[in-house]
Amino acid sequence: MKVSQIPEFFARLAESMPNPEGELDYVNMFTLLVAVVLSAQATDKGVNKATKTLFQLADTPEKMVALGEEGIREKVKTIGLYRNKAKNVYALSQKLIDLHNSEVPQDRDALMALPGVGRKTANVVLNIGFGEARFAVDTHVFRLGNRTGIAPGKNELEVEKKLDRRVPDPYRINAHHWLILHGRYVCKARKPDCPNCVVQDLCRYKDKTKA
């Protein structure tokens, strides 16, 4: 895909998905952070099922700490890697209390200093929670960046940096949502639904599927 075609690429995705949203359930900034931490290597559907009860009991760092690591573990045990994730959720909650007055910081480095929070998680929180133009590169975004040619890279950071350079306004805020949703439901890993793809003629993928 030529760089000059990128505005058209996002214009079509925007037309097909006017109001893209993340699919994780949350009730405030803290629960957004926790949900994203829990979503690593897990489906949003599975996370939402587990956090429905968890967030009813603990929607602040203080309540999460009071629940305890064992209590958290019991609520999220249906999620992959739940033991380590419960440990991180407890620890990050305590760290928010100790260092950030129980508030989720609007700073990527501060977020990444929290247990269980990597660059992708920090970018999701900054984008969804604070409305910043950030590009969270998960497996879907990484695949689309390389498959379509919009932002090819050998690793997630390379793809993120190219998206940051190439995605024009007014598409920057919603760009990673469009890419994630398009990758999840249309440009799937094993069998992309090319006949129903609104950007298939712009995409450089050689092995396009047929109807």
Side-chain angles (χ1 to χ4, degrees):
M1 183 185 301
K2 297 178 180 178
V3 174
S4 60
Q5 294 176 309
I6 291 177
E8 175 65 18
F9 177 92
F10 281 105
R12 294 188 195 177
L13 291 182
E15 185 176 1
S16 66
M17 293 179 279
N19 299 297
E21 294 182 350
E23 296 183 319
L24 287 172
D25 294 336
Y26 62 97
V27 296
N28 55 30
M29 288 291 297
F30 171 66
T31 55
L32 169 63
L33 173 60
V34 172
V36 180
V37 168
L38 292 174
S39 70
Q41 299 182 44
T43 65
D44 289 356
K45 184 177 180 180
V47 172
N48 291 339
K49 185 176 180 180
T51 57
K52 182 177 181 180
T53 301
L54 177 65
F55 292 161
Q56 289 174 347
L57 295 172
D59 60 357
T60 67
E62 289 81 3
K63 291 178 182 177
M64 196 68 75
V65 169
L67 190 59
E69 185 179 332
E70 184 177 347
I72 299 169
R73 189 165 60 239
E74 180 63 26
K75 299 302 178 186
V76 302
K77 63 183 180 181
T78 58
I79 301 174
L81 307 175
Y82 74 95
R83 293 182 183 277
N84 192 52
K85 289 179 180 180
K87 181 179 179 180
N88 285 334
V89 168
Y90 178 83
L92 75 82
S93 299
Q94 187 64 63
K95 202 164 185 178
L96 288 175
I97 295 169
D98 294 341
L99 300 181
H100 301 288
N101 196 32
S102 299
E103 299 291 332
V104 176
Q106 189 177 354
D107 178 85
R108 184 159 59 193
D109 289 338
L111 285 167
M112 291 176 64
L114 297 172
V117 179
R119 187 179 181 93
K120 182 186 73 174
T121 296
N123 283 340
V124 171
V125 172
L126 290 171
N127 178 266
I128 296 177
F130 293 103
E132 294 188 8
R134 301 284 183 169
F135 305 91
V137 181
D138 69 351
T139 55
H140 299 299
V141 178
F142 183 76
R143 182 173 68 254
L144 261 70
N146 283 283
R147 180 181 278 176
T148 66
I150 190 173
K154 295 179 181 178
N155 54 54
E156 289 82 359
L157 185 58
E158 285 188 12
V159 172
E160 179 190 333
K161 289 184 174 181
K162 283 189 178 178
L163 287 171
D164 196 20
R165 291 197 304 269
R166 294 180 175 184
V167 178
D169 289 327
Y171 306 116
R172 294 175 63 80
I173 291 295
N174 289 322
H176 99 269
H177 286 302
W178 283 317
L179 293 173
I180 289 172
L181 294 171
H182 192 67
R184 185 173 291 167
Y185 298 112
V186 181
C187 194
K188 294 171 282 191
R190 294 185 179 181
K191 189 177 180 181
D193 189 9
C194 299
N196 291 309
C197 175
V198 297
V199 292
Q200 61 87 19
D201 59 312
L202 302 177
C203 174
R204 74 175 187 185
Y205 186 52
K206 295 179 180 180
D207 299 321
K208 290 186 174 70
T209 58
K210 298 180 180 179

PDB file of all heavy atoms in Angstrom, residues 62-83:
ATOM      1  N   GLU A  62      -8.337   0.725  46.521  1.00  0.00           N
ATOM      2  CA  GLU A  62      -8.493   0.347  47.929  1.00  0.00           C
ATOM      3  C   GLU A  62      -9.332  -0.922  48.071  1.00  0.00           C
ATOM      4  O   GLU A  62      -8.985  -1.828  48.854  1.00  0.00           O
ATOM      5  CB  GLU A  62      -9.135   1.495  48.720  1.00  0.00           C
ATOM      6  CG  GLU A  62      -8.238   2.699  48.931  1.00  0.00           C
ATOM      7  CD  GLU A  62      -8.185   3.637  47.738  1.00  0.00           C
ATOM      8  OE1 GLU A  62      -8.903   3.384  46.736  1.00  0.00           O
ATOM      9  OE2 GLU A  62      -7.412   4.608  47.786  1.00  0.00           O
ATOM     10  N   LYS A  63     -10.422  -0.997  47.343  1.00  0.00           N
ATOM     11  CA  LYS A  63     -11.282  -2.178  47.422  1.00  0.00           C
ATOM     12  C   LYS A  63     -10.580  -3.408  46.852  1.00  0.00           C
ATOM     13  O   LYS A  63     -10.770  -4.517  47.347  1.00  0.00           O
ATOM     14  CB  LYS A  63     -12.592  -1.927  46.673  1.00  0.00           C
ATOM     15  CG  LYS A  63     -13.504  -0.902  47.325  1.00  0.00           C
ATOM     16  CD  LYS A  63     -14.758  -0.685  46.497  1.00  0.00           C
ATOM     17  CE  LYS A  63     -15.660   0.369  47.102  1.00  0.00           C
ATOM     18  NZ  LYS A  63     -16.857   0.627  46.246  1.00  0.00           N
ATOM     19  N   MET A  64      -9.762  -3.195  45.817  1.00  0.00           N
ATOM     20  CA  MET A  64      -9.043  -4.325  45.226  1.00  0.00           C
ATOM     21  C   MET A  64      -8.001  -4.867  46.199  1.00  0.00           C
ATOM     22  O   MET A  64      -7.860  -6.088  46.363  1.00  0.00           O
ATOM     23  CB  MET A  64      -8.378  -3.900  43.910  1.00  0.00           C
ATOM     24  CG  MET A  64      -7.926  -5.055  43.032  1.00  0.00           C
ATOM     25  SD  MET A  64      -9.302  -6.021  42.343  1.00  0.00           S
ATOM     26  CE  MET A  64      -9.908  -4.905  41.049  1.00  0.00           C
ATOM     27  N   VAL A  65      -7.286  -3.970  46.871  1.00  0.00           N
ATOM     28  CA  VAL A  65      -6.302  -4.391  47.864  1.00  0.00           C
ATOM     29  C   VAL A  65      -6.998  -5.107  49.022  1.00  0.00           C
ATOM     30  O   VAL A  65      -6.512  -6.127  49.534  1.00  0.00           O
ATOM     31  CB  VAL A  65      -5.490  -3.181  48.367  1.00  0.00           C
ATOM     32  CG1 VAL A  65      -4.658  -3.563  49.594  1.00  0.00           C
ATOM     33  CG2 VAL A  65      -4.575  -2.668  47.262  1.00  0.00           C
ATOM     34  N   ALA A  66      -8.151  -4.581  49.409  1.00  0.00           N
ATOM     35  CA  ALA A  66      -8.898  -5.212  50.508  1.00  0.00           C
ATOM     36  C   ALA A  66      -9.370  -6.609  50.129  1.00  0.00           C
ATOM     37  O   ALA A  66      -9.440  -7.505  50.977  1.00  0.00           O
ATOM     38  CB  ALA A  66     -10.095  -4.340  50.889  1.00  0.00           C
ATOM     39  N   LEU A  67      -9.666  -6.807  48.865  1.00  0.00           N
ATOM     40  CA  LEU A  67     -10.085  -8.127  48.396  1.00  0.00           C
ATOM     41  C   LEU A  67      -8.953  -9.130  48.529  1.00  0.00           C
ATOM     42  O   LEU A  67      -9.177 -10.316  48.790  1.00  0.00           O
ATOM     43  CB  LEU A  67     -10.562  -8.022  46.937  1.00  0.00           C
ATOM     44  CG  LEU A  67     -11.252  -9.233  46.310  1.00  0.00           C
ATOM     45  CD1 LEU A  67     -12.493  -9.617  47.112  1.00  0.00           C
ATOM     46  CD2 LEU A  67     -11.616  -8.935  44.853  1.00  0.00           C
ATOM     47  N   GLY A  68      -7.726  -8.642  48.356  1.00  0.00           N
ATOM     48  CA  GLY A  68      -6.555  -9.491  48.523  1.00  0.00           C
ATOM     49  C   GLY A  68      -6.228 -10.288  47.268  1.00  0.00           C
ATOM     50  O   GLY A  68      -7.091 -10.527  46.425  1.00  0.00           O
ATOM     51  N   GLU A  69      -4.986 -10.690  47.178  1.00  0.00           N
ATOM     52  CA  GLU A  69      -4.550 -11.443  46.004  1.00  0.00           C
ATOM     53  C   GLU A  69      -5.335 -12.743  45.846  1.00  0.00           C
ATOM     54  O   GLU A  69      -5.727 -13.115  44.734  1.00  0.00           O
ATOM     55  CB  GLU A  69      -3.055 -11.738  46.092  1.00  0.00           C
ATOM     56  CG  GLU A  69      -2.505 -12.424  44.847  1.00  0.00           C
ATOM     57  CD  GLU A  69      -1.016 -12.676  44.940  1.00  0.00           C
ATOM     58  OE1 GLU A  69      -0.302 -11.921  45.640  1.00  0.00           O
ATOM     59  OE2 GLU A  69      -0.553 -13.660  44.321  1.00  0.00           O
ATOM     60  N   GLU A  70      -5.590 -13.412  46.941  1.00  0.00           N
ATOM     61  CA  GLU A  70      -6.339 -14.662  46.872  1.00  0.00           C
ATOM     62  C   GLU A  70      -7.771 -14.426  46.403  1.00  0.00           C
ATOM     63  O   GLU A  70      -8.302 -15.198  45.593  1.00  0.00           O
ATOM     64  CB  GLU A  70      -6.354 -15.352  48.243  1.00  0.00           C
ATOM     65  CG  GLU A  70      -7.033 -16.711  48.229  1.00  0.00           C
ATOM     66  CD  GLU A  70      -6.972 -17.409  49.569  1.00  0.00           C
ATOM     67  OE1 GLU A  70      -6.199 -16.963  50.445  1.00  0.00           O
ATOM     68  OE2 GLU A  70      -7.689 -18.418  49.741  1.00  0.00           O
ATOM     69  N   GLY A  71      -8.381 -13.352  46.882  1.00  0.00           N
ATOM     70  CA  GLY A  71      -9.740 -13.027  46.470  1.00  0.00           C
ATOM     71  C   GLY A  71      -9.813 -12.665  44.994  1.00  0.00           C
ATOM     72  O   GLY A  71     -10.753 -13.055  44.294  1.00  0.00           O
ATOM     73  N   ILE A  72      -8.824 -11.919  44.530  1.00  0.00           N
ATOM     74  CA  ILE A  72      -8.759 -11.570  43.107  1.00  0.00           C
ATOM     75  C   ILE A  72      -8.574 -12.829  42.274  1.00  0.00           C
ATOM     76  O   ILE A  72      -9.246 -13.028  41.260  1.00  0.00           O
ATOM     77  CB  ILE A  72      -7.595 -10.580  42.843  1.00  0.00           C
ATOM     78  CG1 ILE A  72      -7.798  -9.279  43.622  1.00  0.00           C
ATOM     79  CG2 ILE A  72      -7.487 -10.291  41.339  1.00  0.00           C
ATOM     80  CD1 ILE A  72      -6.573  -8.381  43.624  1.00  0.00           C
ATOM     81  N   ARG A  73      -7.679 -13.668  42.716  1.00  0.00           N
ATOM     82  CA  ARG A  73      -7.386 -14.916  41.993  1.00  0.00           C
ATOM     83  C   ARG A  73      -8.645 -15.768  41.840  1.00  0.00           C
ATOM     84  O   ARG A  73      -8.888 -16.346  40.774  1.00  0.00           O
ATOM     85  CB  ARG A  73      -6.294 -15.690  42.729  1.00  0.00           C
ATOM     86  CG  ARG A  73      -5.761 -16.889  41.968  1.00  0.00           C
ATOM     87  CD  ARG A  73      -4.468 -17.382  42.555  1.00  0.00           C
ATOM     88  NE  ARG A  73      -4.597 -17.792  43.937  1.00  0.00           N
ATOM     89  CZ  ARG A  73      -3.914 -17.268  44.958  1.00  0.00           C
ATOM     90  NH1 ARG A  73      -3.034 -16.297  44.737  1.00  0.00           N
ATOM     91  NH2 ARG A  73      -4.080 -17.710  46.188  1.00  0.00           N
ATOM     92  N   GLU A  74      -9.453 -15.812  42.858  1.00  0.00           N
ATOM     93  CA  GLU A  74     -10.681 -16.601  42.817  1.00  0.00           C
ATOM     94  C   GLU A  74     -11.650 -16.063  41.763  1.00  0.00           C
ATOM     95  O   GLU A  74     -12.335 -16.841  41.088  1.00  0.00           O
ATOM     96  CB  GLU A  74     -11.356 -16.582  44.195  1.00  0.00           C
ATOM     97  CG  GLU A  74     -12.647 -17.372  44.273  1.00  0.00           C
ATOM     98  CD  GLU A  74     -12.474 -18.861  44.025  1.00  0.00           C
ATOM     99  OE1 GLU A  74     -11.357 -19.388  44.273  1.00  0.00           O
ATOM    100  OE2 GLU A  74     -13.442 -19.512  43.577  1.00  0.00           O
ATOM    101  N   LYS A  75     -11.668 -14.736  41.587  1.00  0.00           N
ATOM    102  CA  LYS A  75     -12.605 -14.121  40.642  1.00  0.00           C
ATOM    103  C   LYS A  75     -12.141 -14.220  39.193  1.00  0.00           C
ATOM    104  O   LYS A  75     -12.954 -14.167  38.268  1.00  0.00           O
ATOM    105  CB  LYS A  75     -12.841 -12.648  41.005  1.00  0.00           C
ATOM    106  CG  LYS A  75     -13.455 -12.434  42.381  1.00  0.00           C
ATOM    107  CD  LYS A  75     -14.780 -13.155  42.516  1.00  0.00           C
ATOM    108  CE  LYS A  75     -15.356 -12.965  43.910  1.00  0.00           C
ATOM    109  NZ  LYS A  75     -16.595 -13.778  44.100  1.00  0.00           N
ATOM    110  N   VAL A  76     -10.837 -14.332  38.969  1.00  0.00           N
ATOM    111  CA  VAL A  76     -10.326 -14.316  37.592  1.00  0.00           C
ATOM    112  C   VAL A  76      -9.743 -15.664  37.167  1.00  0.00           C
ATOM    113  O   VAL A  76      -9.034 -15.751  36.164  1.00  0.00           O
ATOM    114  CB  VAL A  76      -9.262 -13.198  37.405  1.00  0.00           C
ATOM    115  CG1 VAL A  76      -9.851 -11.842  37.747  1.00  0.00           C
ATOM    116  CG2 VAL A  76      -8.011 -13.467  38.241  1.00  0.00           C
ATOM    117  N   LYS A  77     -10.053 -16.711  37.897  1.00  0.00           N
ATOM    118  CA  LYS A  77      -9.434 -18.009  37.630  1.00  0.00           C
ATOM    119  C   LYS A  77      -9.849 -18.633  36.302  1.00  0.00           C
ATOM    120  O   LYS A  77      -9.239 -19.605  35.857  1.00  0.00           O
ATOM    121  CB  LYS A  77      -9.729 -18.976  38.782  1.00  0.00           C
ATOM    122  CG  LYS A  77     -11.188 -19.315  38.983  1.00  0.00           C
ATOM    123  CD  LYS A  77     -11.361 -20.223  40.193  1.00  0.00           C
ATOM    124  CE  LYS A  77     -12.817 -20.583  40.425  1.00  0.00           C
ATOM    125  NZ  LYS A  77     -12.982 -21.443  41.630  1.00  0.00           N
ATOM    126  N   THR A  78     -10.872 -18.090  35.662  1.00  0.00           N
ATOM    127  CA  THR A  78     -11.269 -18.596  34.341  1.00  0.00           C
ATOM    128  C   THR A  78     -10.429 -17.995  33.217  1.00  0.00           C
ATOM    129  O   THR A  78     -10.558 -18.401  32.063  1.00  0.00           O
ATOM    130  CB  THR A  78     -12.747 -18.292  34.078  1.00  0.00           C
ATOM    131  OG1 THR A  78     -12.970 -16.873  34.178  1.00  0.00           O
ATOM    132  CG2 THR A  78     -13.644 -19.014  35.065  1.00  0.00           C
ATOM    133  N   ILE A  79      -9.588 -17.026  33.556  1.00  0.00           N
ATOM    134  CA  ILE A  79      -8.753 -16.348  32.562  1.00  0.00           C
ATOM    135  C   ILE A  79      -7.369 -16.999  32.524  1.00  0.00           C
ATOM    136  O   ILE A  79      -6.817 -17.372  33.567  1.00  0.00           O
ATOM    137  CB  ILE A  79      -8.606 -14.848  32.903  1.00  0.00           C
ATOM    138  CG1 ILE A  79      -9.976 -14.166  32.961  1.00  0.00           C
ATOM    139  CG2 ILE A  79      -7.725 -14.145  31.873  1.00  0.00           C
ATOM    140  CD1 ILE A  79      -9.907 -12.727  33.433  1.00  0.00           C
ATOM    141  N   GLY A  80      -6.810 -17.111  31.350  1.00  0.00           N
ATOM    142  CA  GLY A  80      -5.462 -17.659  31.221  1.00  0.00           C
ATOM    143  C   GLY A  80      -4.445 -16.866  32.019  1.00  0.00           C
ATOM    144  O   GLY A  80      -4.543 -15.643  32.136  1.00  0.00           O
ATOM    145  N   LEU A  81      -3.459 -17.565  32.593  1.00  0.00           N
ATOM    146  CA  LEU A  81      -2.390 -16.962  33.393  1.00  0.00           C
ATOM    147  C   LEU A  81      -2.942 -16.209  34.599  1.00  0.00           C
ATOM    148  O   LEU A  81      -2.383 -15.209  35.045  1.00  0.00           O
ATOM    149  CB  LEU A  81      -1.550 -16.010  32.523  1.00  0.00           C
ATOM    150  CG  LEU A  81      -0.980 -16.593  31.227  1.00  0.00           C
ATOM    151  CD1 LEU A  81      -0.284 -15.514  30.417  1.00  0.00           C
ATOM    152  CD2 LEU A  81      -0.012 -17.730  31.534  1.00  0.00           C
ATOM    153  N   TYR A  82      -4.049 -16.699  35.145  1.00  0.00           N
ATOM    154  CA  TYR A  82      -4.774 -15.948  36.178  1.00  0.00           C
ATOM    155  C   TYR A  82      -3.973 -15.741  37.456  1.00  0.00           C
ATOM    156  O   TYR A  82      -4.149 -14.718  38.138  1.00  0.00           O
ATOM    157  CB  TYR A  82      -6.110 -16.626  36.483  1.00  0.00           C
ATOM    158  CG  TYR A  82      -6.032 -17.895  37.292  1.00  0.00           C
ATOM    159  CD1 TYR A  82      -6.182 -17.869  38.679  1.00  0.00           C
ATOM    160  CD2 TYR A  82      -5.802 -19.132  36.681  1.00  0.00           C
ATOM    161  CE1 TYR A  82      -6.114 -19.036  39.426  1.00  0.00           C
ATOM    162  CE2 TYR A  82      -5.726 -20.295  37.423  1.00  0.00           C
ATOM    163  CZ  TYR A  82      -5.884 -20.239  38.790  1.00  0.00           C
ATOM    164  OH  TYR A  82      -5.815 -21.388  39.535  1.00  0.00           O
ATOM    165  N   ARG A  83      -3.116 -16.661  37.802  1.00  0.00           N
ATOM    166  CA  ARG A  83      -2.357 -16.498  39.049  1.00  0.00           C
ATOM    167  C   ARG A  83      -1.429 -15.284  38.983  1.00  0.00           C
ATOM    168  O   ARG A  83      -1.399 -14.454  39.895  1.00  0.00           O
ATOM    169  CB  ARG A  83      -1.552 -17.765  39.355  1.00  0.00           C
ATOM    170  CG  ARG A  83      -2.404 -18.971  39.701  1.00  0.00           C
ATOM    171  CD  ARG A  83      -1.543 -20.184  40.042  1.00  0.00           C
ATOM    172  NE  ARG A  83      -2.367 -21.350  40.312  1.00  0.00           N
ATOM    173  CZ  ARG A  83      -2.936 -21.614  41.482  1.00  0.00           C
ATOM    174  NH1 ARG A  83      -2.750 -20.775  42.501  1.00  0.00           N
ATOM    175  NH2 ARG A  83      -3.672 -22.690  41.655  1.00  0.00           N
TER     176      ARG A  83
END
